[in-house]
Amino acid sequence: AYDLYLKAREATRQDDDEAAVHEKIRLAKAAIALDPNYAEPHALQASAMSTLAIFYPADNQDSRRRIEEAAAVARRAIQLDPELPDGYR
């Protein structure tokens, strides 16, 4: 899970590329699948989903759905680790 999280963080450097943001989400979800109680990938996934909603929306409804999903994932990150700053971003 940690290795996948690190790969997802590396993709973070490429937020100007929609495909890289999707890859970040995919890797974060894979890390979560391996360790559902690992807060960092949840926070990273939430951040990436927000990036998609804001910078790459298909339409307003898509943007709203992505923001709602990102908020749910961020809440889970905070639930898992209330001291993790990335969960609040």
Side-chain angles (χ1 to χ4, degrees):
Y2 182 69
D3 288 341
L4 289 169
Y5 166 70
L6 290 179
K7 287 179 183 178
R9 280 187 53 107
E10 182 60 30
T12 301
R13 302 178 200 283
Q14 302 168 15
D15 277 351
D16 61 334
D17 176 12
E18 184 177 3
V21 178
H22 281 285
E23 179 67 1
K24 182 185 341 182
I25 293 169
R26 186 190 71 75
L27 291 167
K29 285 181 175 182
I32 292 165
L34 290 175
D35 186 353
N37 295 318
Y38 188 15
E40 284 85 348
H42 285 84
L44 190 63
Q45 178 186 345
S47 172
M49 293 173 80
S50 295
T51 298
L52 279 180
I54 295 166
F55 296 107
Y56 305 105
D59 56 39
N60 285 339
Q61 187 175 17
D62 177 65
S63 182
R64 184 176 301 121
R65 180 186 56 78
R66 286 177 175 171
I67 289 291
E68 290 170 0
E69 288 178 19
V73 176
R75 283 191 296 274
R76 178 65 178 146
I78 293 166
Q79 179 185 29
L80 291 169
D81 185 354
E83 301 297 319
L84 179 67
D86 290 346
Y88 297 93
R89 292 184 186 191

